[in-house]
Amino acid sequence: MTRLNKIVFFILLLLSVIICCFLFLPMGDSPAMEDIYFQAYDNKSLETVIYKYDAQTRTVCEIGKISGYFHNCKIDHEKKYITGVRSAFGPESISDAASNMEFGIVRFSLEEGTSELLRNEQQLRIGNKQQIIWDNTFLFNDCNKICICYKDETFFHMIYDLNTKKAQKIELSQMNCVVYDIRNHYIWYFVNNRFMRYNIKTKERKEIFQNVSQCFVSDGGEHVASLENRAKRIDLYDITRAKKTCVLKAGWNKVFGSSSPYSCGWDKSGTYFYYIEHFVKLFGSSDTRIKVYNRDTRKSQCIYIKRNTPATTRYELIRNA
């Protein structure tokens, strides 16, 4: 190779490196990470433990406990209350007012460390035949309203106002559908293998995509994370650009958490995506990690790890209301 050819080769190599570095640079500075709230239910102790990750000190601490399976939880914008559903975790669980295990809508005070049953199951029932599907019942409007899923011969849904105690029936679909979350005035749900968005105000329906298993909508509704390939892969879907990208793949003997609608979560800006990762061990136990994926840097960091977590323990993220 002549000297001139060496110089040209070196210049081309240098230009290639510069172009690659430019392509993978994050677009601007990422916003500061928010504090993250999550919880773990232990089916042996029949308690839900609430945790907080402090983004400044980068530490996790326990902030309270609630009797029973407390789930589908959201935190208000002032970070004063966590409100969610308390229901059966399995067929052996029963609603018992005497033991402070009554099913219904429960609110936990972060300031006082105490919980309050806002409405019990009987108060939310329409009749004796209808069954409330708690796993598909979600709070919204800063935890002041609930979208309740009922089942009779078919599924149907009601919007219940906790302040006025008034309810309104909504028509999502003539077929059985499963609500997965509600944000602002949009209800996100599955029907006939399609992930849909329903506008409560205009009653407009829109199909987002098809052939997905589990989805997690960002607070602003611009992005959707979906679990694919039996929870071995996470894709991010940009609704505005109608573009799906694979961002995470589980390694050997690992799987992403997929046990509940809040197995994943988002920060308010839509920059940080939270997810649960399990390293599966013998007899159903696993090393459980809660991780944060930065969409700007395309990198993840672990904020919490619990080794040898038994199969009877379920972790969930607490979402912004």
Side-chain angles (χ1 to χ4, degrees), residues 107-246:
R107 177 163 289 170
F108 177 80
S109 171
L110 292 169
E111 295 178 344
E112 300 177 3
T114 57
S115 61
E116 172 190 6
L117 182 68
L118 300 181
R119 303 291 286 176
N120 63 29
E121 185 172 19
Q122 194 62 37
Q123 291 170 320
L124 294 173
R125 280 184 178 273
I126 299 175
N128 295 325
K129 295 183 179 180
Q130 288 81 10
Q131 175 188 0
I132 297 178
I133 309 301
W134 291 111
D135 285 346
N136 303 118
T137 295
F138 301 95
L139 290 123
F140 69 107
N141 193 34
D142 213 25
C143 298
N144 292 312
K145 293 183 178 180
I146 326 164
C147 179
I148 307 175
C149 178
Y150 296 90
K151 183 180 180 182
D152 194 345
E153 295 179 356
T154 60
F155 290 98
F156 65 96
H157 301 81
M158 302 282 288
I159 299 295
Y160 183 86
D161 193 312
L162 286 168
N163 296 322
T164 64
K165 309 296 187 296
K166 293 182 179 180
Q168 173 189 359
K169 188 175 182 178
I170 54 174
E171 299 292 342
L172 285 180
S173 173
Q174 293 181 351
M175 296 178 287
N176 289 347
C177 66
V178 178
V179 172
Y180 227 71
D181 204 358
I182 177 167
R183 305 209 149 267
N184 302 319
H185 54 276
Y186 290 112
I187 298 176
W188 305 82
Y189 65 99
F190 283 104
V191 61
N192 196 23
N193 205 29
R194 295 177 297 160
F195 189 57
M196 306 286 293
R197 184 181 69 188
Y198 175 79
N199 190 320
I200 298 174
K201 295 181 179 180
T202 65
K203 299 183 180 180
E204 177 188 3
R205 297 173 178 83
K206 181 179 180 180
E207 181 181 308
I208 305 302
F209 44 62
Q210 297 182 2
N211 301 319
V212 292
S213 56
Q214 245 176 323
C215 293
F216 311 91
V217 183
S218 64
D219 289 11
E222 298 92 355
H223 298 90
V224 179
S226 62
L227 292 179
E228 309 285 347
N229 192 24
R230 297 182 179 180
K232 295 287 288 184
R233 190 180 85 230
I234 295 179
D235 292 351
L236 291 187
Y237 182 81
D238 188 315
I239 294 179
T240 304
R241 299 167 61 193
K243 182 179 179 181
K244 183 185 285 189
T245 306
C246 175

Side-chain angles (χ1 to χ4, degrees), residues 85-101:
V85 168
R86 178 164 60 202
S87 68
F89 183 76
E92 71 280 359
S93 303
I94 58 171
S95 183
D96 185 0
S99 63
N100 195 28
M101 293 276 284

